[in-house]
Every structure is written in C-alpha cells, then in structure tokens.
Amino acid sequence: MKKMMMMMAMLAVSFAMQAQTKFHDVELNEATGPVKSITQSGMMGRGEQVINFTQDGKMQAEGLTGQVYDENGYLQKVSRSVETPQGNMTITTTYKWENGKVKSQSMDFGQGAMTQTYTYNEKGAPASMSMDMMGNAMETPYTDYKYDDHGNWISRKMSMMGQEVEMTRKIVYYE
C-alpha cells in the first residue's frame, strides 16, 4: 500500500510540473487545443506565414528571440528580427493578458510604436482590433468567421482602410 501511495505521489508531482511548464502561445495565436502548426495567409502582402508549436504549447517561429514568460506560461515579451527595405529591424512586442486572452499588444520598432487592443466575440475569437500607431487610431472589425472541428477559426474577413480582406488558416493538430 505504501509503495502504491509513493507511485501516486510521484505521478502527481510530474503532472503538476507539466502543468507549470505549459505555455499559452497557442492562445496568443487565437487558437486552442493540441495545435502543431498554423499556416496563415491573406496578411496584406506578407504571403504565407507558418508558426509551429511544441507539444507543451510553446511557439517556434523564425527570428523569435528573448521570450519572457510569467510564472503561468503566458508570453509577456518577445523580439523578432525582420527584413525591411532599409535593412534588418528588431520589433519588440509586449503583451497584456486578461482572462486567458490577449487584451493588448504593444510593438516597439525602434523609431515608432504601435498598440493593438482586442475585443472578443462569444466564441472567444477577436471581434475587433483597435490600433494606435504613433497617435493615429484605426478600428478593424473581424467578421464572417468559419471554424474547424476543434472550434478554431480557419477563415475570417477584416475591413482595413476601406478594403475587405479574407484571412485563412490551416491548422494541424497533434494526435
């Protein structure tokens, strides 16, 4: 009996340690569940973007550095190196979370800054995004969502600067 109790205690400790190392990068990317990768297109001239995730939910994307997480596994800050016509630029993004969702993200790109604030619909997907870029404000609604069998969005429309754009995603899941 004593041996059985020790085994159960060891299992409980290992599960507790796993829970403490869970990352919420999947939620940061507006998805839930055992997501292995998200391939996104329709991002205004950015082509196709692929984001991979480890089984414990940590994002793996090219150029990411300096990830800072809180004690609950929520990403607080990350830097990304991007190629621009003027050369290489580092963008540092800081996140604010509320109820397991990103409430806002602020991006510092050296010579300027931009803050995006989100509202969510009843399914937990963003309903709109408000952007403030160096004092210029813009509201972007998201509409016409389509969802996959896991409840994650795979298509949505957004209106930005008088143009309607459809964004699509292909999501691959761990089995």
Side-chain angles (χ1 to χ4, degrees), residues 116-154:
Q116 297 173 328
T117 305
Y118 299 92
T119 61
Y120 292 88
N121 66 22
E122 67 282 349
K123 289 194 174 217
S128 69
M129 181 258 301
S130 301
M131 184 176 0
D132 181 350
M133 186 166 178
M134 300 185 305
N136 296 312
M138 179 178 15
E139 179 82 17
T140 302
Y142 298 112
T143 60
D144 298 331
Y145 276 95
K146 292 181 180 80
Y147 296 89
D148 68 8
D149 293 340
H150 294 265
N152 290 314
W153 72 266
I154 53 172

Side-chain angles (χ1 to χ4, degrees), residues 21 40 51 62-64 68 78 81 87 90 95 97 102 109 114 119 129 169-170:
T21 60
Q40 192 164 282
I51 304 168
E62 193 173 322
L64 292 182
V68 176
V78 66
S81 181
T90 299
Y95 300 95
W97 293 80
V102 174
F109 42 92
M114 175 174 57
T119 61
M129 181 258 301
R169 305 194 306 181
K170 180 181 177 207

Side-chain angles (χ1 to χ4, degrees), residues 2-168:
K2 198 175 198 180
K3 199 175 209 179
M4 179 65 94
M5 291 298 279
M6 279 301 270
M7 287 176 60
M8 288 174 62
M10 292 297 282
L11 277 173
V13 167
S14 68
F15 283 126
M17 288 175 74
Q18 281 181 330
Q20 291 171 359
T21 60
K22 167 124 175 46
F23 297 97
H24 296 279
D25 295 359
V26 171
E27 289 89 346
L28 174 70
N29 288 276
E30 302 169 7
T32 59
V35 174
K36 187 175 191 176
S37 68
I38 297 174
T39 303
Q40 192 164 282
S41 60
M43 295 277 299
M44 295 195 177
R46 288 183 55 192
E48 206 170 74
Q49 178 186 15
V50 178
I51 304 168
N52 295 304
F53 300 91
T54 61
Q55 284 191 321
D56 62 355
K58 191 171 186 178
M59 183 171 39
Q60 297 179 314
E62 193 173 322
L64 292 182
T65 60
Q67 293 99 321
V68 176
Y69 291 88
D70 70 8
E71 64 278 357
N72 296 312
Y74 289 97
L75 187 61
Q76 301 297 302
K77 190 179 212 177
V78 66
S79 294
R80 171 178 255 147
S81 181
V82 294
E83 194 69 37
T84 69
Q86 295 79 22
N88 226 11
M89 176 192 326
T90 299
I91 300 173
T92 301
T93 306
T94 305
Y95 300 95
K96 291 188 180 170
W97 293 80
E98 187 175 282
N99 300 322
K101 301 275 185 203
V102 174
K103 181 66 178 163
S104 68
Q105 60 183 15
S106 298
M107 289 158 267
D108 179 356
F109 42 92
Q111 299 175 15
M114 175 174 57
T115 299
Q116 297 173 328
T117 305
Y118 299 92
T119 61
Y120 292 88
N121 66 22
E122 67 282 349
K123 289 194 174 217
S128 69
M129 181 258 301
S130 301
M131 184 176 0
D132 181 350
M133 186 166 178
M134 300 185 305
N136 296 312
M138 179 178 15
E139 179 82 17
T140 302
Y142 298 112
T143 60
D144 298 331
Y145 276 95
K146 292 181 180 80
Y147 296 89
D148 68 8
D149 293 340
H150 294 265
N152 290 314
W153 72 266
I154 53 172
S155 173
R156 73 178 177 197
K157 291 182 181 169
M158 61 186 252
S159 296
M160 183 179 265
M161 298 184 286
Q163 289 188 319
E164 187 169 270
V165 177
E166 182 177 11
M167 296 175 62
T168 59

